[in-house]
Amino acid sequence: YTKDLDTKTDIISTVEFNHTGELLATGDKGGRVVIFQREQESKNQPHRRGEYNVYSTFQSHEPEFDYLKSLEIEEKINKIRWLPQQNAAYFLLSTNDKTVKLWKVSERDKRPEGYNLKDEDGRLRDPSMITMLRVPVLRPMDLMVEATPRRVFANAHTYHINSISVNSDYETYMSADDLRINLWNFEITNQSFNIVDIKPANMEELTEVITAAEFHPHHCNTFVYSSSKGTIRLCDMRASALCDRHSKFFEEPEDPSNRSFFSEIISSISDVKFSHSGRYIMTRDYLTVKVWDLNMENRPIETYQVHDYLRSKLCSLYENDCIFDKFECVWNGSDSVIMTGSYNNFFRMFDRNTKRDVTLEASRENSKPRAILKPRKVCVGGKRRKDEISVDSLDFSKKILHTAWHPSENIIAVAATNNLYIFQDKVN
């Protein structure tokens, strides 16, 4: 089903389930974070389990202005990452282009009453009128969800932050921009440690930028980052403090027969994700999703064509800037299925075991609650069957860049511009 967000500034820019899947956070262009909570199962309505309703909404980032560089800094949320839950409160990291914030989201359903120095409505009492001590008591009140910023990690990035990733030690996290990756301790906001720096001494020699970075899910010393040249570097922080020398370098040699003016642009990697097992890395470039085995650097073990029919359309996609769109990719909880977005509100799923794939559509027209999604087909040239859509009538302004998969169940969240769709596997 769909959750409508208010206006066009509310284009969703990131979607993320927490570690249990009970909460789902979205960030938008207006700097807001909206958290949805899954309904608990009730005896009289057992089928309602699984519906996500708004739990908390808060303004995470405000627009800023950098006076030294005369630059406006957008409030748009680039990424959200949850921390594993340690107590009753939830913690999440959110970032815009420059500043990472740690938010605490907690519930209050009691309030203290019976202060000594204040009235119930908060006015100070006259000290001469206080003749006895009162013991404050906690009274129940309506549930309130509060979001409070606990840490602000600022002033560490010259360029735009494109990734944040929480380490498996849960004491540190990293933030990556175009040319540098910084390592932070959660307790220390005024300094970070630079672990990757690819900035050349002379900026005119710049040939590639960092596009995404992520920590290994189990080994706190290992992380990967991808580049605009279509390469992935695996780094080991035990080898040296500055990870300028990678320990593994993943690159697929280019097929000379496919070489074109657009080859370099479309080979840029827009997202990189470790599998839950930690054995594989998935990368998304403009036309494909690739799965790499950590033990094999010279080529991916699997390549999936997301929308191969766009190969002939690259010229017009270059002219309307779509060729620079940054699509993300996600694993399901068991690493057996991968999902990524496309145009025309389509998203794609690839089953790694059966090698079957499907194209589904997230749109207002076909998303009545409990409706079953019909697979979509795109036809290229020739005769079009009645249930197919022609490649020439695809809407490139409707794109699905951000998706998320529940950590253990077949529930997915799909952001289509300013609508959030949540689909779940049909249970008989």
Side-chain angles (χ1 to χ4, degrees), residues 159 178-180 197-209:
Y159 308 98
D178 298 335
L179 297 178
R180 297 193 181 103
D197 186 350
I198 64 166
K199 185 180 178 183
N202 175 4
M203 279 297 268
E204 283 167 11
E205 292 165 11
L206 181 68
T207 57
E208 65 179 331
V209 295

Side-chain angles (χ1 to χ4, degrees), residues 3-144:
K3 294 277 187 222
D4 252 346
L5 303 174
D6 314 339
T7 62
K8 288 286 179 276
T9 59
D10 299 342
I11 291 173
I12 299 173
S13 51
T14 184
V15 198
E16 191 79 12
F17 280 101
N18 75 340
H19 292 254
T20 59
E22 290 301 300
L23 299 180
L24 170 68
T26 65
D28 67 24
K29 259 195 148 142
R32 284 218 311 266
V33 173
V34 180
I35 301 176
F36 300 89
Q37 185 183 43
R38 197 170 182 197
E39 283 292 314
Q40 293 304 313
E41 195 163 4
S42 62
K43 291 216 165 42
N44 47 2
Q45 292 175 307
H47 67 274
R48 297 234 348 161
R49 166 80 177 139
E51 284 203 11
Y52 283 82
N53 294 311
V54 176
Y55 175 65
S56 172
T57 304
F58 58 94
Q59 189 71 32
S60 172
H61 287 69
E62 305 280 355
E64 292 176 63
F65 192 79
D66 183 337
Y67 294 100
L68 289 173
K69 298 200 178 91
S70 290
L71 274 182
E72 281 188 51
I73 300 167
E74 275 193 302
E75 66 271 40
K76 172 184 166 227
I77 308 289
N78 292 346
K79 284 282 185 293
I80 289 173
R81 289 288 177 264
W82 291 90
L83 275 68
Q85 195 176 355
Q86 309 282 349
N87 52 26
Y90 302 99
F91 287 88
L92 62 86
L93 284 176
S94 65
T95 185
N96 66 351
D97 284 340
K98 295 287 180 193
T99 304
V100 184
K101 294 185 181 181
L102 174 69
W103 288 90
K104 176 185 180 180
V105 180
S106 52
E107 296 184 356
R108 278 229 324 251
D109 59 356
K110 294 185 177 63
R111 67 163 189 266
E113 274 182 14
Y115 289 104
N116 285 294
L117 302 176
K118 291 185 194 152
D119 281 336
E120 296 311 328
D121 43 9
R123 282 195 304 269
L124 280 172
R125 292 169 63 192
D126 177 5
S128 60
M129 302 295 289
I130 302 173
T131 54
M132 52 180 280
L133 281 174
R134 293 195 287 180
V135 178
V137 288
L138 288 170
R139 298 247 185 267
M141 60 176 240
D142 290 341
L143 178 70
M144 239 174 66

Side-chain angles (χ1 to χ4, degrees), residues 360-377:
L360 300 169
E361 182 181 3
S363 70
R364 296 293 292 275
E365 292 71 57
N366 62 8
S367 67
K368 294 179 184 63
R370 319 227 169 268
I372 293 175
L373 291 181
K374 285 200 277 298
R376 314 286 295 188
K377 283 214 165 36

Side-chain angles (χ1 to χ4, degrees), residues 121-302:
D121 43 9
R123 282 195 304 269
L124 280 172
R125 292 169 63 192
D126 177 5
S128 60
M129 302 295 289
I130 302 173
T131 54
M132 52 180 280
L133 281 174
R134 293 195 287 180
V135 178
V137 288
L138 288 170
R139 298 247 185 267
M141 60 176 240
D142 290 341
L143 178 70
M144 239 174 66
V145 181
E146 293 180 309
T148 46
R150 296 305 300 268
R151 305 265 191 284
V152 176
F153 305 89
N155 307 325
H157 285 276
T158 312
Y159 308 98
H160 292 343
I161 298 173
N162 55 45
S163 306
I164 46 175
S165 179
V166 177
N167 200 347
S168 56
D169 62 11
Y170 305 138
E171 292 179 12
T172 55
Y173 75 90
M174 68 177 168
S175 55
D177 66 26
D178 298 335
L179 297 178
R180 297 193 181 103
I181 301 177
N182 292 331
L183 182 69
W184 300 85
N185 185 305
F186 277 110
E187 300 301 319
I188 301 167
T189 58
N190 58 355
Q191 68 182 129
S192 60
F193 193 83
N194 180 231
I195 50 175
V196 173
D197 186 350
I198 64 166
K199 185 180 178 183
N202 175 4
M203 279 297 268
E204 283 167 11
E205 292 165 11
L206 181 68
T207 57
E208 65 179 331
V209 295
I210 298 167
T211 55
E214 192 179 54
F215 269 118
H216 189 285
H218 317 302
H219 303 313
C220 61
N221 53 286
T222 311
F223 66 93
V224 291
Y225 68 91
S226 58
S227 90
S228 55
K229 277 194 165 172
T231 62
I232 308 113
R233 289 172 177 84
L234 179 94
C235 301
D236 186 340
M237 292 192 286
R238 295 172 303 189
S240 79
L242 190 60
C243 302
D244 278 0
R245 297 222 296 278
H246 48 264
S247 37
K248 291 197 175 189
F249 181 77
F250 301 85
E251 182 177 30
E252 185 171 30
E254 193 189 19
D255 177 1
S257 64
N258 274 344
R259 178 105 191 118
S260 78
F261 171 73
F262 303 109
S263 296
E264 282 186 11
I265 303 174
I266 64 172
S267 67
S268 175
I269 293 174
S270 53
D271 197 16
V272 59
K273 293 268 168 62
F274 272 105
S275 61
H276 295 82
S277 68
R279 170 79 190 263
Y280 304 103
I281 312 170
M282 166 168 55
T283 59
R284 169 74 209 257
D285 57 40
Y286 191 63
L287 294 177
T288 65
V289 172
K290 293 172 181 165
V291 175
W292 304 76
D293 188 315
L294 280 194
N295 302 322
M296 190 164 93
E297 298 168 60
N298 57 347
R299 61 190 163 84
I301 54 168
E302 297 155 33

